Amino acid sequence: MSPERARTDVLVIGAGIVGALIGRELAGRGHGVVLLDPEPGRGASIGNAGLLVPSFTRPMAAPSTWWEGVRGMTGENPLISIGSMSPAVLTWLARFTVAARPGRAGRIAARLVAPARAAADAYAGLAAETGIDLGLARGGWLQAARSPAVLRRKAVLARTLAKEGVDYEVLTRDDLRAQEPELDPGLAGAVFFPGDSSLDPAATTRAALAAAEERGAVVRRTRVNGLVRRYGEVAAVRTGLGEFSATTYVLATGAGRLGGRGVQPGWGWSVDLPAMRNPISTPMIGLDDHVVFNPLRGRIRITGGMRIGGTPSARDDHPAATAIRQAAERLVPALRDLPAGSIVRAARPMTPDGLPRVARTGRNLIVATGHGTLGMTLAPATAVTVARLVGSEDRREEVLW
């Protein structure tokens, strides 16, 4: 099949974790699938924290986060900032402000708990299918706080999520030290969520791509430069390998140029520190600094930062990575003994209201984007949702979350 005349049932644009799982799901249902991506398996997926967190479905659009964003605009915190004041970013910020009204975040969190809870089992199935070790661990997640007030607020939110079936346990300072003795003794305590899980995001994305190809999907390494539209629908996509056409098109490009209207990149950083012995055994977030830890085989991944807007060329990796490591070392002092690690900067696709966009937006166009910090958590459910949309005769736009 020459690229210039290539035609298939479904073209999936983007082959990160979301696109790869969509390709796997569609191919498994008998559709002819081609995935297009200049770097399959990379993008935001490669820098993902690697957590599957039903307990963390509360969107960023909440009053407390809004105030943090306002303070971040002063430039005092290198981990929270605005990367651009373009009209698109200003519009996004205005919509974010409206969405951050009291009470709304809890309602959205409740809608996302069910698909989030299904993720660990879905990835266990992927591991069994491919024989690839995803590093899947079901040991729960700690949300630790230095401030007693922050801990109390998290406990209140945990009680709200408990109504949706999310189990939790409040740990005192002594309880936390008993579970993770390497943590700073000054922490006030933590909320432990035993139903949360973790994995290796790079291995998981590789497995998803391998499974998609094993089921018959074709992965092409090429950049999509634009969509060709005729008579109110997508007729083809232009790429470096020529034009590709399909019956249905799926945009799963995350925060990329074709990512979808209203989606802005939320730049974040991950730092992998080599560790023969991990100083902590349980994945964790420090609620005061929003720094996330995932102990992986041979290394510990630390992630953090949120810069809304800006371009890939507007880099400022060193101050952000330094701030992440310093915050991490305050929580886990033993990290000071580990050597410098590798840094990855990636863009999470952020919607103003915190809800993913999984919808039919044209006669033959479906978007699957806007997962924010929950890409790994919601990708399996997104794949099933997109497959249902592809197989549906209903041509109306349908947002399922």
Side-chain angles (χ1 to χ4, degrees), residues 20-42:
L21 286 181
I22 289 171
R24 169 180 174 257
E25 185 71 26
L26 289 171
R29 297 187 183 207
H31 296 283
V33 180
V34 173
L35 293 108
L36 304 176
D37 196 302
E39 295 183 295
R42 297 191 65 83

Side-chain angles (χ1 to χ4, degrees), residues 49-50 135 198-201 272 275 278 294-301:
S198 61
L199 44 65
D200 182 329
D272 280 1
N278 262 301
N294 185 4
L296 298 167
R297 183 176 301 163
R299 69 193 194 281
I300 183 166
R301 169 160 290 188

Side-chain angles (χ1 to χ4, degrees), residues 8 26 55 57 116 131 145 160 181 227 258 264 282 287 289 316 351 374 385:
T8 189
L26 289 171
S55 71
T57 52
T160 302
L227 307 180
L258 299 173
Q264 282 294 322
T282 311
L287 294 169
D289 295 310
D316 199 12
T351 61
L374 297 174
T385 300

Side-chain angles (χ1 to χ4, degrees), residues 64-125:
S64 60
T65 314
W66 186 87
W67 279 110
E68 288 183 21
V70 170
R71 289 194 295 269
M73 292 177 69
T74 66
E76 295 178 3
N77 185 349
L79 296 183
I80 302 175
S81 61
I82 306 301
S84 166
M85 287 295 179
S86 68
V89 172
L90 291 174
T91 300
W92 189 98
L93 291 170
R95 294 176 62 193
F96 175 85
T97 299
V98 173
R101 61 188 181 273
R104 187 178 180 280
R107 293 193 294 272
I108 289 182
R111 293 171 63 181
L112 298 180
V113 165
R117 292 179 68 184
D121 286 343
Y123 286 118

Side-chain angles (χ1 to χ4, degrees), residues 241-267:
L241 296 177
E243 288 192 356
F244 288 78
S245 59
T247 303
T248 303
Y249 300 81
V250 179
L251 279 178
T253 54
R257 183 170 55 86
L258 299 173
R261 186 173 58 187
V263 175
Q264 282 294 322
W267 297 97

